[in-house]
Amino acid sequence: MALRNIALLCGRTRGVLATRGAAHFNFQPTEAPKEYGEERTKMNLCQAVNNAMDIAMATDPSAILFGEDVAFGGVFRCSLGLKDKYGSDRVFNTPLCEQGIAGFGIGVAVAGSTAIAEIQFGDYIFPAYDQLVNEAAKYRYRSGGLFECGKLTVRATWGAVGHGALYHSQSPEANFTHTPGIKVVVPRGPTQAKGLLLSCIRDDNPAIFFEPKILYRLAAEEVPTGDFMIPLSKAETVRSGKDVTIVSWGTQVHVSLEAAQLAQEKLGVSVEVIDLQTIQPWDEEHIVQSVKKTGRLIVSHEAPKTSGFGAEIAAAIQERCFLHLESPVARSCGWDTPFPHVYEPFYLPTVWRVFDSIKKTVNF
């Protein structure tokens, strides 16, 4: 019996290893509104980010792009070709020092230029945490408005890829939402990546732009080729429903959309899915109006449950929608453990975990 159990366990392990790198969801493209422009071309998320930075640098001669390996195109190739187009004075590599990258970006922005700084992985942003939360976020406030570093955008990858483990799969957005003065943005696809990144670069406040790295080449859709911006701090309803509201961002939007479709087919439950887009300052009113309609809320994100940004949303909604709620606000999130080396599929809030949350919420 013991040998049989070991054999079964080994078989399951091989199955997990065989699917390493496979996405735990299906990307669901959305059509960009006509006001973003009629001319479109197919882009993946990596190309959309490149296109946004190209437009930003073409329209703003003061804009510079810097970070580890960005002059070579970056480890994910998001800055490919930009040094050739704008020269090494405007697109250049930095030492492997995240604190230095953030500090340099603050100085560039204070001097009046537009700084686009890349942190190679979101997991590596923590050495720069002091610069971002103690300097960038407070520069305008502590000087009484005399000085500011608002033209600073810090780009970093974000989220799981299926095999990144504890140092390459984290979602650190909630760490920065506790500090007033920084905007935090996570796009769900190429169109949002382009429009939101341009808004961050041109905004008068420091911004952290997290790019879901699993979507870099997996996500492709028809993206407007012109210059357009998507407003910050505005959520978007990507699927209408009347029974349950799910709020998520980044990759998890696509997981939520699949779970919503499954709930419609298996349970006859109509689920509204909202992409928060800007995590801080977030669009509280949009969520409130949806929950008043559905009476139920699930928040889903990849980051650990404890002190994840879902907790802030849950607290705000129970304050404003208590008499409208038919069940407690639920959270379908990552576990309170480091990302595992092999078993990321068991860590992530998958379609089936979100579906289970829907079932429990409607049956409360």
Side-chain angles (χ1 to χ4, degrees):
M1 180 64 74
L3 289 173
R4 180 175 179 272
N5 288 339
I6 292 171
L8 287 171
L9 178 60
C10 289
R12 290 179 185 134
T13 304
R14 282 196 299 271
V16 171
L17 289 172
T19 59
R20 287 183 69 198
H24 59 286
F25 63 94
N26 291 307
F27 173 73
Q28 303 193 36
T30 53
E31 186 175 350
K34 290 184 178 179
E35 56 263 31
Y36 294 171
E38 295 288 346
E39 187 177 339
R40 296 158 190 231
T41 189
K42 192 170 185 178
M43 298 183 197
N44 59 31
L45 195 139
C46 178
Q47 292 167 326
V49 167
N50 183 286
N51 187 221
M53 292 191 293
D54 188 5
I55 290 172
M57 298 189 77
T59 56
D60 180 359
S62 78
I64 62 172
L65 169 64
F66 51 93
E68 299 164 9
D69 299 326
V70 299
F72 308 139
V75 68
F76 292 100
R77 321 311 287 165
C78 287
S79 56
L80 193 66
L82 296 180
K83 190 195 83 165
D84 295 337
K85 191 168 185 179
Y86 297 104
S88 57
D89 288 340
R90 296 183 64 192
V91 181
F92 50 88
N93 296 331
T94 65
L96 305 182
C97 178
E98 286 77 20
Q99 187 176 26
I101 292 169
F104 178 75
I106 292 167
V108 166
V110 170
S113 292
T114 298
I116 308 169
E118 178 179 294
I119 303 294
Q120 200 168 84
F121 282 87
D123 312 63
Y124 302 165
I125 204 169
F126 296 114
Y129 190 78
D130 174 55
Q131 289 284 350
L132 294 172
V133 303
N134 273 332
E135 304 299 335
K138 299 176 174 68
Y139 217 101
R140 182 184 292 125
Y141 179 81
R142 74 175 186 173
S143 69
L146 293 176
F147 306 102
E148 51 94 12
C149 57
K151 293 295 185 181
L152 168 65
T153 298
V154 178
R155 295 176 43 247
T157 67
W158 173 95
V161 291
H163 55 273
L166 63 167
Y167 290 130
H168 295 84
S169 289
Q170 296 174 85
S171 303
E173 67 273 14
N175 292 272
F176 295 95
T177 62
H178 192 65
T179 303
I182 298 177
K183 295 190 175 182
V184 182
V185 178
V186 185
R188 73 175 184 272
T191 299
Q192 287 69 36
K194 179 178 177 179
L196 290 169
L197 180 54
L198 280 168
S199 291
C200 286
I201 293 170
R202 292 165 174 170
D203 195 82
D204 289 329
N205 299 280
I208 300 175
F209 190 80
F210 286 118
E211 300 162 10
K213 55 186 172 291
I214 196 171
L215 297 181
Y216 272 147
R217 285 163 181 80
L218 177 67
E221 59 191 14
E222 295 295 321
V223 179
T225 57
D227 187 342
F228 70 93
M229 296 189 295
I230 297 175
L232 302 179
S233 297
K234 294 289 185 184
E236 180 184 351
T237 298
V238 293
R239 179 187 174 111
S240 296
K242 59 183 178 62
D243 298 323
V244 184
T245 298
I246 299 181
V247 175
S248 54
W249 49 90
T251 305
Q252 204 60 25
V253 173
H254 305 288
V255 175
S256 300
L257 284 168
E258 283 196 67
Q261 182 61 32
L262 199 62
Q264 183 71 60
E265 294 171 358
K266 304 292 185 182
L267 307 174
V269 173
S270 174
V271 181
E272 183 151 293
V273 179
I274 296 175
D275 178 5
L276 197 60
Q277 299 192 124
T278 302
I279 315 305
Q280 184 69 11
W282 63 290
D283 192 351
E284 184 176 323
E285 196 59 38
H286 192 102
I287 314 305
V288 166
Q289 293 306 314
S290 176
V291 174
K292 284 183 176 179
K293 176 179 65 174
T294 65
R296 299 175 180 87
L297 174 64
I298 299 168
V299 187
S300 186
H301 57 67
E302 288 188 11
K305 184 176 184 179
T306 298
S307 298
F309 196 67
E312 176 62 29
I313 297 173
I317 293 304
Q318 75 85 20
E319 284 179 0
R320 296 193 57 186
C321 301
F322 183 75
L323 297 178
H324 296 270
L325 289 171
E326 301 290 342
S327 63
V329 177
R331 287 176 287 165
S332 183
C333 310
W335 305 115
D336 290 335
T337 70
F339 258 90
H341 289 281
V342 176
Y343 295 104
E344 280 195 15
F346 298 106
Y347 177 94
L348 291 166
T350 60
V351 172
W352 289 106
R353 280 180 58 194
V354 177
F355 174 77
D356 190 54
S357 293
I358 295 170
K359 188 160 59 173
K360 288 178 179 177
T361 297
V362 296
N363 292 330
F364 178 78

